[in-house]
Amino acid sequence: IDESDIILDMCAAPGNKTIQILEIMSEKARTKNTLPSGVIIANELDEKRAGNMAHFFKAHFPINIVVTNNKAENLPIIEDENYRPNIVICDVPCSGDGTIRKNKVVRKKWKLEYGLESHFTQTKILDSAIRQCKNDGFIIIAFFYLSNTLTCISHSKRYFI
């Protein structure tokens, strides 16, 4: 991460990743005696959580951040390559199949369809990340999936899973 990066966090709430990235960007800028020139776009599907993040960031990090409230898989694509994110972070929703091992209530209600639906959402978010990211950029995806059904998509971008 550099102080001039354009970073899209597609599933940002509660905001801890975003705060860490802002701190890294600020520290790198401080070592160069400048202000960060990059920006973080922190997206969150849940309106209340997006609002909470926006309020917190405005109070503590008043520059270099934009909070959006959209489905990660439906974010509009920035057409101009100069303004597209060079780092896209996807902390995708999990399938819940790990929770069913620990929580009996969830286990009784959980259905295979929930895991499959989550898988489709995860792949749609990854596909959106590929379309969002600059051609020479990085995509970082984090997911928890016990059933090994997430298919990695080959593309010219670099991935960290």
Side-chain angles (χ1 to χ4, degrees):
I1 295 175
D2 194 36
E3 77 278 356
S4 61
D5 284 329
I6 300 172
I7 300 170
L8 170 60
D9 188 349
M10 297 180 78
C11 308
N16 298 332
K17 296 181 304 293
T18 307
I19 292 167
Q20 289 177 337
I21 292 166
L22 284 165
E23 288 174 348
I24 291 168
M25 291 172 81
S26 295
E27 183 56 34
K28 291 202 174 181
R30 261 192 297 278
T31 63
K32 297 177 181 179
N33 259 353
T34 65
L35 292 172
S37 59
V39 66
I40 298 176
I41 303 161
N43 181 66
E44 173 55 37
L45 171 63
D46 184 273
E47 186 176 355
K48 183 177 180 184
R49 293 175 80 181
N52 289 341
M53 283 193 318
H55 179 73
F56 178 81
F57 294 145
K58 183 177 179 183
H60 299 286
F61 300 95
I63 60 171
N64 305 67
I65 186 153
V66 176
V67 177
T68 61
N69 175 224
N70 287 295
K71 280 184 150 185
E73 60 269 33
N74 294 338
L75 284 169
I77 306 297
I78 299 169
E79 296 298 328
D80 188 333
E81 182 76 11
N82 294 318
Y83 297 104
R84 291 175 80 186
N86 59 310
I87 299 174
V88 178
I89 301 168
C90 313
D91 187 1
V92 298
C94 73
S95 62
D97 51 0
T99 304
I100 63 171
R101 293 181 296 117
K102 299 178 278 184
N103 187 323
K104 290 180 184 179
V105 174
V106 173
R107 187 180 315 139
K108 287 179 183 178
K109 294 179 181 180
W110 194 86
K111 296 178 183 177
L112 179 61
E113 293 82 27
Y114 299 157
L116 293 173
E117 182 179 312
S118 176
H119 166 71
F120 293 125
T121 300
Q122 291 169 344
T123 55
K124 284 193 280 187
I125 291 171
L126 179 56
D127 181 60
S128 178
I130 291 167
R131 289 182 281 113
Q132 295 285 348
C133 193
K134 280 186 179 181
N135 284 330
D136 60 347
F138 293 90
I139 295 172
I140 303 165
I141 183 166
F143 60 92
F144 184 77
Y145 215 102
L146 293 177
S147 51
N148 272 341
T149 57
L150 184 68
T151 305
C152 290
I153 299 170
S154 176
H155 201 270
S156 63
K157 297 173 177 79
R158 294 170 250 173
Y159 302 95
F160 297 94
I161 297 179

